């Protein structure tokens, strides 16, 4: 019988930690969603002692959840964690200190935390306490999961994820009425992905044309509906719009320009939406970099744009796209229409900065995910 492979064992437990962290993407902001797994016992006979994930609202951190669940069993154990344990004092003492106090013998961490309050200090503190520290296992996967956190820390804005549906001949709209492209299984997958975003963002044109709900409509997952954001420079969103009327259940934030009237702002606020003013361009459109910096200052890390081709192309023009999910249906428009991928987005996706990270089918629809290199 061959000896157990410690590298494969480490990868297995780190994959579990990554899966745990992904569960709460969209729930942990302004903090990153981290997964942690505590493992004890001799090689080949080890067992999972406890698991943890960053809790909704960002506290407590994953390490503390796992350490509390393990109790004294954590002494001498290995901690697998998807992001460097924090080393700064916030509302609680550092996770690095809690790990040391628990008597953990080894920490396997997927990546350093770029937050300047941490930035290697957590790993250094653990090593100084005599804990064996290994950094970088499955780091590329962790970095993709933590893209929102990293982008907010380094660029001051949330990561932007585009979602665009297109017909087999490349159109997002055309003819009379709303074009239904995706099948039911694909729609369910999209709703699941919504649940892992901090916010869904659209332009006012989408609100006026479709009156979208922008909620997670999967059984038992309504509470995972993210913040809804409307880019509306002139405050044309009607107070009767569905996403305004339901703001008490799922919050709605309307980003307006200075030209939007106070009367319209007051009416939207009275109906339940939050209205905030942000800068506009010389053409009177929302200044997208400024709007995203505002959202980053609010603590948002992952914003999904579902505003259609016009907003998507504007974001691409400003180089603000981090991932783009193209959902290609099997239907054909068969006539001129609105292309799903505009010229700026097409150029970005064709550049060396982007690569296809994954491609798969959900029902009859093809999902293609383009990811910008770190």
């Amino acid at each position: 019988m061959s000896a157990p492979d410690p590298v494969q064992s480490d990868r297995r437990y780190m994959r579990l930690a990554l899966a745990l962290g992904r569960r709460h993407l969209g729930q942990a902001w302004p903090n990153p969603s981290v997964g942690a797994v505590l493992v004890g016992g001799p090689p080949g006979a080890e067992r999972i002692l406890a698991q943890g994930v960053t809790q909704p609202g960002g506290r407590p951190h994953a390490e503390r959840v796992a350490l509390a669940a393990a109790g004294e069993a954590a002494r001498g154990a290995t901690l697998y964690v998807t992001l460097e344990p924090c080393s700064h004092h916030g509302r609680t003492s550092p996770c690095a200190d809690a790990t040391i106090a628990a008597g953990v013998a080894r920490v396997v961490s997927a990546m350093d935390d770029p937050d300047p309050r941490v930035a290697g200090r957590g790993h250094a503190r653990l090593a100084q306490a005599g804990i064996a520290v290994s950094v970088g296992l499955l780091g590329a996967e962790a970095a993709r999961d933590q893209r929102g956190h990293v982008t907010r820390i380094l660029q001051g804005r949330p990561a932007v994820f585009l979602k665009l549906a297109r017909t087999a001949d490349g159109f997002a709209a055309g003819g009379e009425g709303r074009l239904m492209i995706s099948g039911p299984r694909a729609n369910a997958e999209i709703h699941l992905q919504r649940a892992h975003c901090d916010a869904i963002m659209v332009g006012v044109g989408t609100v006026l044309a479709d009156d979208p709900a922008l909620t997670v409509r999967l059984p038992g997952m309504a509470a995972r509906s993210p913040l809804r954001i409307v880019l509306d420079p002139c405050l044309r969103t009607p107070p009767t719009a569905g996403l305004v009327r339901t703001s008490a259940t799922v919050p709605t934030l309307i980003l307006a320009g200075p030209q939007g009237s106070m009367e319209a702002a007051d009416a939207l606020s009275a109906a339940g939406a939050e209205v905030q003013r942000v800068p506009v361009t010389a053409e009177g459109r929302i200044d997208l970099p400024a709007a995203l910096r505002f959202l980053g200052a609010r603590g948002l890390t992952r914003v999904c744009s579902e505003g259609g081709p016009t907003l998507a192309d504007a974001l691409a023009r400003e180089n603000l796209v981090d991932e783009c999910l193209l959902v290609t249906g099997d239907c054909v428009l068969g006539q001129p229409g609105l292309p799903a991928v505009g010229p700026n987005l097409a150029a970005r996706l064709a550049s060396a900065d982007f690569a296809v990270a994954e491609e798969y089918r959900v029902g009859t629809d093809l999902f293609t995910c383009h990811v910008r290199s770190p």
Side-chain angles (χ1 to χ4, degrees):
M1 184 176 179
S2 61
D5 183 344
V7 174
Q8 290 303 316
S9 181
D10 281 350
R11 291 175 68 88
R12 181 168 66 251
Y13 293 123
M14 183 60 79
R15 289 198 184 281
L16 174 57
L18 288 166
L20 290 169
R22 289 178 189 131
R23 288 183 185 178
H24 279 194
L25 287 173
Q27 299 292 292
W29 66 279
N31 289 339
S33 182
V34 175
V37 177
L38 269 168
V39 176
E46 72 270 6
R47 62 187 182 89
I48 295 173
L49 304 173
Q51 303 175 16
V53 63
T54 308
Q55 295 300 291
R59 297 282 179 175
H61 290 179
E63 301 96 315
R64 288 189 170 274
V65 174
L67 290 169
E72 279 300 312
R75 194 162 300 277
T78 295
L79 172 66
Y80 296 86
V81 62
T82 60
L83 185 68
E84 178 180 9
C86 65
S87 57
H88 61 284
H89 285 266
R91 283 181 284 173
T92 58
S93 59
C95 289
D97 288 359
T99 302
I100 294 167
V104 170
R106 178 173 177 247
V107 171
V108 181
S109 174
M111 61 180 286
D112 289 323
D113 188 342
D115 189 326
R117 298 172 298 176
V118 187
R121 294 182 185 91
H123 290 144
R125 186 174 297 189
L126 295 171
Q128 288 164 5
I131 295 174
V133 178
S134 175
V135 182
L137 181 65
L138 301 183
E141 292 185 32
R144 184 176 175 189
D145 292 346
Q146 299 297 344
R147 179 140 218 168
H149 170 65
V150 172
T151 303
R152 178 172 174 260
I153 292 297
L154 298 184
Q155 300 183 39
R157 66 167 178 86
V160 174
F161 301 83
L162 297 183
K163 191 277 292 180
L164 292 165
R166 62 182 178 182
T167 60
D169 48 353
F171 297 107
E176 297 294 328
R178 187 175 180 182
L179 184 61
M180 304 303 292
I181 297 173
S182 306
R185 289 179 60 187
N187 287 335
E189 174 70 14
I190 290 166
H191 278 255
L192 183 61
Q193 294 189 17
R194 273 185 187 174
H196 292 107
C197 290
D198 302 348
I200 302 292
M201 182 171 69
V202 299
V204 65
T206 296
V207 175
L208 296 174
D210 300 333
D211 193 20
L214 302 182
T215 54
V216 176
R217 295 186 296 278
L218 294 174
M221 295 190 66
R224 292 289 300 262
S225 295
L227 171 71
R228 299 171 296 187
I229 300 170
V230 181
L231 304 179
D232 186 1
C234 297
L235 286 177
R236 294 189 293 147
T237 300
T240 55
L243 48 67
V244 174
R245 290 185 291 102
T246 58
S247 293
T249 304
V250 181
T252 298
L253 170 63
I254 298 177
L255 298 184
Q259 67 266 45
S261 73
M262 284 301 302
E263 292 81 4
D266 289 344
L268 289 165
S269 297
E274 178 187 358
V275 179
Q276 293 287 346
R277 306 283 180 166
V278 296
V280 295
T281 65
E283 297 78 24
R285 300 184 180 92
I286 294 294
D287 183 319
L288 292 173
L292 286 170
R293 287 193 297 271
F294 172 83
L295 297 176
R298 289 278 291 252
L300 290 163
T301 66
R302 297 169 58 86
V303 171
C304 177
S305 171
E306 292 193 16
T310 301
L311 177 55
D313 210 55
L315 288 164
R317 184 177 60 246
E318 299 291 342
N319 198 22
L320 295 171
V321 177
D322 297 293
E323 290 196 15
C324 177
L325 176 64
L326 293 177
V327 182
T328 305
D330 61 353
C331 60
V332 175
L333 182 61
Q335 63 184 47
L338 175 65
V341 178
N344 293 294
L345 181 57
R348 293 287 181 199
L349 298 184
S351 73
D353 291 339
F354 277 82
V356 175
E358 54 197 5
E359 192 167 61
Y360 56 95
R361 285 198 175 273
V362 179
T364 59
D365 298 281
L366 179 66
F367 282 53
T368 307
C369 187
H370 300 258
V371 178
R372 191 216 292 256
S373 58

